[in-house]
Amino acid sequence: IMPSKARKAAAQASYQQGENKNALCNGDFAVAQRGTTLESGSNADTDYTLDRWKLFSDTDNVVDVAQITSGVPTGNKYALDLDVETANKKFGIAQIVENINCQNLIGNTVTLSFKAKVNATTNMDNVKAAIIAWSSTADAPTDDMISAWGVEGTNPTLESNFTYENTPANLNVTTSWADYSVTAAIDTSSTANIIVFIWSDVTTTTAGTDHLYLGNVQLELGNTATDFQYEGYAKNLIRCQRYYEVIKMQSYARVGNSLNTNDTRGHAFDFKVEKRTSSLTLGHSTIGRSSGEFTFTNSLGNYVSTDPDDIGAYLTTSNASIYATSSTNIAGLTNDSISCIYVNGTAELNFDAEL
């Protein structure tokens, strides 16, 4: 019989070599359901950007975030570009690993590895990386984990229940792609989630000039960085859709029922993958009749005379049942009859279950 320590070591080695060794999603920045370029209005502090990657910055609109295809690491199709738009502010990106995916990491040594470069080291001369533990309610970390960014060269102060598991230090990133890694023991008591955080720790940047580029981010069990685990785009997308999913709609998108003359029910959409939680945030294109907008039709297939005020959804982890609402009657609806979502061109619904 194999001793327990040997079994654990064998299991860890098997995990490291297995198909799920990377605890992170979208480490190569291939999935971009929110868009490939996120600028003012979509790049505020704590906004999610490319799938699963959350932006942290010392005010809003510090960096534009883009998925790039030129100048990427050898063997890659994509990389991430953090392009400074507000000078002299710190910024970085992070990913929070869901509790269910942390169990084999908590209490063990883990390694964060990635590729990085900067456009010039004149200003961008201090890039750091951290492995952080969240030790309060599982999957409910404080939205902004940074309490104070601090002066240049000083690690940001974290909010309560966040703990640096390593001691972040300047990685001396250069203008050429290179591999970097940090290792830490996840030994904070009551750790519920693990967060990886890569940031620029300088406060002497120039807007429109300075860039931090990242690729191939991986978090794995053990004290050694191994080769990045590439996975097919379809699998990568499915993993990301557990946390955020966009549903594109065209033409007569989904039939439902006009419950009465001022709302509809039962426009049902099944998710492609089970969501992390049923407490989803619903987003959608504009309600209207112009290109890219959507509204509702009556039982004859004609536009309702008055568009609804808004839509809502009954949500489970598996599907959404959309309904239209209005403070006054939606002219053109007939009680207890067919109604359909109708789109001029292409519109979307999006469902957010991010941490």
Side-chain angles (χ1 to χ4, degrees):
I1 299 175
M2 185 181 293
S4 60
K5 287 185 178 179
R7 286 201 305 271
K8 183 177 181 180
Q12 290 178 350
S14 175
Y15 175 83
Q16 285 184 312
Q17 297 304 318
E19 64 175 10
N20 295 317
K21 75 173 182 178
N22 191 358
L24 305 178
C25 299
N26 202 28
D28 60 354
F29 305 104
V31 181
Q33 293 184 87
R34 295 173 181 84
T36 57
T37 301
L38 299 152
E39 300 176 334
S40 182
S42 299
N43 63 346
D45 180 31
T46 74
D47 275 355
Y48 273 90
T49 59
L50 303 192
D51 280 61
R52 299 275 28 247
W53 291 103
K54 188 173 183 177
L55 178 66
F56 288 91
S57 53
D58 188 13
T59 195
D60 296 338
N61 193 34
V62 172
V63 289
D64 290 342
V65 181
Q67 178 196 71
I68 58 171
T69 57
S70 178
V72 302
T74 300
N76 284 41
K77 184 174 178 61
Y78 303 108
L80 179 73
D81 177 11
L82 300 172
D83 174 9
V84 173
E85 297 301 313
T86 300
N88 305 329
K89 297 290 186 181
K90 295 185 182 184
F91 62 88
I93 59 161
Q95 185 170 142
I96 306 164
V97 182
E98 187 180 356
N99 174 264
I100 197 172
N101 297 324
C102 285
Q103 297 308 304
N104 65 317
L105 305 178
I106 294 170
N108 289 306
T109 297
V110 300
T111 297
L112 167 66
S113 59
F114 56 95
K115 291 183 180 294
K117 72 172 184 175
V118 295
N119 68 302
T121 55
T122 307
N123 295 328
M124 298 287 292
D125 60 353
N126 192 343
V127 175
K128 296 181 177 180
I131 300 167
I132 296 170
W134 163 253
S135 55
S136 188
T137 305
D139 297 336
T142 305
D143 184 44
D144 191 346
M145 67 179 179
I146 307 297
S147 172
W149 282 93
V151 299
E152 181 165 333
T154 300
N155 294 329
T157 301
L158 302 178
E159 289 284 359
S160 299
N161 302 310
F162 293 96
T163 304
Y164 289 117
E165 298 292 75
N166 65 310
T167 302
N170 188 354
L171 297 172
N172 297 306
V173 173
T174 71
T175 56
S176 299
W177 286 110
D179 297 316
Y180 302 90
S181 66
V182 297
T183 297
I186 309 299
D187 54 10
T188 294
S189 177
S190 302
T191 295
N193 294 91
I194 299 171
I195 302 146
V196 301
F197 182 37
I198 305 167
W199 76 97
S200 166
D201 206 46
V202 301
T203 57
T204 53
T205 54
T206 302
T209 298
D210 290 319
H211 295 253
L212 171 60
Y213 303 98
L214 298 171
N216 288 13
V217 189
Q218 182 161 280
L219 179 68
E220 60 187 305
L221 191 64
N223 58 10
T224 303
T226 64
D227 289 344
F228 179 75
Q229 176 194 17
Y230 290 95
E231 59 185 358
Y233 179 81
K235 181 179 178 181
N236 194 1
L237 175 61
I238 287 171
R239 293 180 68 200
C240 293
Q241 285 174 330
R242 176 168 171 79
Y243 306 93
Y244 186 84
E245 182 175 334
V246 175
I247 295 177
K248 300 289 187 182
M249 303 185 295
Q250 289 184 315
S251 188
Y252 291 93
R254 201 56 53 98
V255 172
N257 182 69
S258 52
L259 181 64
N260 49 49
T261 57
N262 69 331
D263 66 15
T264 71
R265 291 288 188 271
H267 306 277
F269 294 84
D270 291 331
F271 298 138
K272 296 179 180 69
V273 62
E274 184 177 19
K275 297 293 170 277
R276 180 186 67 82
T277 176
S278 61
S279 298
L280 303 163
T281 301
L282 168 65
H284 58 81
S285 301
T286 304
I287 296 173
R289 305 180 187 196
S290 299
S291 179
E293 298 179 341
F294 71 97
T295 186
F296 292 79
T297 64
N298 59 26
S299 59
L300 298 177
N302 299 320
Y303 280 134
V304 293
S305 302
T306 305
D307 295 327
D309 295 335
D310 201 359
I311 63 169
Y314 298 109
L315 297 162
T316 72
T317 57
S318 300
N319 56 60
S321 182
I322 302 296
Y323 58 88
T325 61
S326 185
S327 57
T328 58
N329 287 354
I330 303 173
L333 279 182
T334 302
N335 185 35
D336 196 22
S337 186
I338 289 174
S339 176
C340 191
I341 296 175
Y342 184 81
V343 182
N344 182 350
T346 301
E348 70 176 45
L349 306 172
N350 57 71
F351 300 90
D352 191 336
E354 289 286 8
L355 293 153

